[in-house]
Amino acid sequence: MRRLALIGHKGMLASMVGRIAPAEYEIFPFDLPDFDITDRDRVLRAIVPLRPDTVINCAAFTNVDACETEEDLANRVNGYGPGYLAEAARDCGARLVHISTDYVFDGKKREPYLEDDLPQPLSAYGRSKLLGEAAIQETGLERFFILRTSWLYGPGGKNFVETIIRLATEREELRIVADQFGAPTYTGDLAQAIFNLISVDAPFGIYHFSNDGACSWHEFATEIVGELKRGGASVRAERILPIVTEDYPLPAQRPAYSVFSKEKYRRVTGCGIPLWRESLTKYLSEKLEAIRLR
């Protein structure tokens, strides 16, 4: 059996990682309140004696707007914490998989971002996640994957899909930003991508992964509501109006364009990537079926 230390195991992505992990992995879960990623001594005491083969870090402070007023906490969780995990992995010979974000970029490009494009975060959240990437590399750990992703959704967590499902059952009209573009990512596909990378002994470093294709938040919301209607769900929303970012001001500035190139991942793993619409259809079909079976 291979030992896998799963950090933030109660979260949306980690739950999926645990669910689809190959049988060869024995999972050791870590999360608050017993395990605090910001406590360096506790991290080292917990991880190093365990001597895992792999550490997967899904722990993060992901409330993007709250990070603006709690930047110190964001830096400790998203920045210094990953560095402590990297120290532990270095000291016990483990490889580290760390999840980062499209928010490390400023969104000024108009073609998909490559792994070696210069990060220019616009928000405290983006700065804290970039700090985490740097902290990992500064430890001298060589065996790491930093996997940047975007617009993540899946069961067991707060995300855009769940928000739209709720709003579509409550309101006849939705107003959704149409001038920010990215790629939705289903947790099941990202979790599989993690295991694809570590199973082929891919070269270590930074990788981009999201579902294939791109859309605006408005297109994403329109597709979600359409799938709900096609699946027979009770939906009140009849109008989904496109708005611009300025019409929906938020504390944290978002990148206007954060589509990733996934060619490096494809080349290294030889694996295909599902289109975002395909994964959304699968997710909502399973969700509606589970509701019907209750």
Side-chain angles (χ1 to χ4, degrees):
M1 295 289 289
R2 297 184 178 184
R3 294 187 166 199
L4 192 163
L6 183 56
I7 314 301
H9 80 97
K10 298 175 186 175
M12 182 175 69
L13 176 59
S15 297
M16 185 62 75
V17 170
R19 182 187 305 179
I20 75 160
E24 68 202 65
Y25 287 96
E26 181 181 8
I27 295 177
F28 295 83
F30 295 90
D31 212 327
L32 293 169
D34 300 319
F35 180 86
D36 183 352
I37 192 176
T38 70
D39 185 332
R40 177 179 178 272
D41 290 341
R42 185 180 294 188
V43 168
L44 295 176
R45 286 198 307 269
I47 302 300
V48 175
L50 180 65
R51 303 195 68 79
D53 299 281
T54 304
V55 178
I56 298 179
N57 180 34
C58 300
F61 181 12
T62 58
N63 187 326
V64 175
D65 293 312
C67 287
E68 292 297 310
T69 54
E70 300 182 71
E71 188 163 3
D72 179 65
L73 177 60
N75 287 338
R76 287 189 284 120
V77 176
N78 298 337
Y80 307 133
Y84 303 151
L85 288 172
E87 283 188 62
R90 180 199 64 201
D91 292 350
C92 67
R95 60 189 168 189
L96 172 67
V97 180
H98 172 68
I99 307 303
S100 192
T101 176
D102 57 326
Y103 280 60
V104 301
F105 295 114
D106 61 12
K108 293 182 178 179
K109 280 190 75 173
R110 287 298 177 264
E111 58 187 25
Y113 276 94
L114 304 171
E115 286 82 355
D116 57 1
D117 281 332
L118 180 67
Q120 294 279 7
L122 301 173
S123 64
Y125 173 68
R127 290 191 295 272
S128 71
K129 294 295 286 185
L130 185 59
L131 180 64
E133 293 186 12
I136 289 169
Q137 296 174 77
E138 287 168 2
T139 63
L141 175 69
E142 296 180 351
R143 304 178 70 232
F144 69 85
F145 296 106
I146 293 172
L147 194 54
R148 295 176 180 147
T149 193
S150 62
W151 298 19
L152 196 62
Y153 71 91
K158 294 181 180 180
N159 56 73
F160 185 78
V161 175
E162 298 304 317
T163 297
I164 294 300
I165 291 172
R166 175 177 57 81
L167 294 177
T169 62
E170 296 173 351
R171 304 179 185 178
E172 294 182 356
E173 180 179 286
L174 307 182
R175 294 164 55 83
I176 307 296
V177 170
D179 59 352
Q180 295 175 20
F181 297 86
T185 308
Y186 173 49
T187 53
D189 296 327
L190 179 57
Q192 186 59 58
I194 291 171
F195 287 110
N196 290 344
L197 278 171
I198 62 180
S199 67
V200 299
D201 291 326
F204 294 108
I206 298 174
Y207 288 81
H208 288 172
F209 184 88
S210 66
N211 281 124
D212 234 1
C215 63
S216 69
W217 289 113
H218 177 264
E219 291 174 286
F220 193 16
T222 300
E223 192 70 19
I224 294 165
V225 174
E227 285 291 339
L228 292 174
K229 290 180 177 179
R230 288 188 288 273
S234 178
V235 174
R236 291 189 63 194
E238 294 297 330
R239 298 177 300 280
I240 307 174
L241 304 181
I243 62 173
V244 296
T245 298
E246 288 73 18
D247 293 334
Y248 191 67
L250 292 168
Q253 188 176 354
R254 272 74 169 166
Y257 180 91
S258 59
V259 180
F260 285 146
S261 168
K262 280 84 67 175
E263 290 311 306
K264 181 179 178 181
Y265 168 83
R266 284 192 177 95
R267 183 177 69 252
V268 165
T269 65
C271 297
I273 301 174
L275 290 166
W276 71 264
R277 281 189 174 90
E278 293 175 355
S279 290
L280 178 65
T281 297
K282 175 183 176 182
Y283 173 64
L284 291 178
S285 296
E286 292 174 352
K287 188 176 183 68
L288 291 172
E289 182 63 23
I291 292 172
R292 283 191 285 267
L293 293 175
R294 287 178 186 171

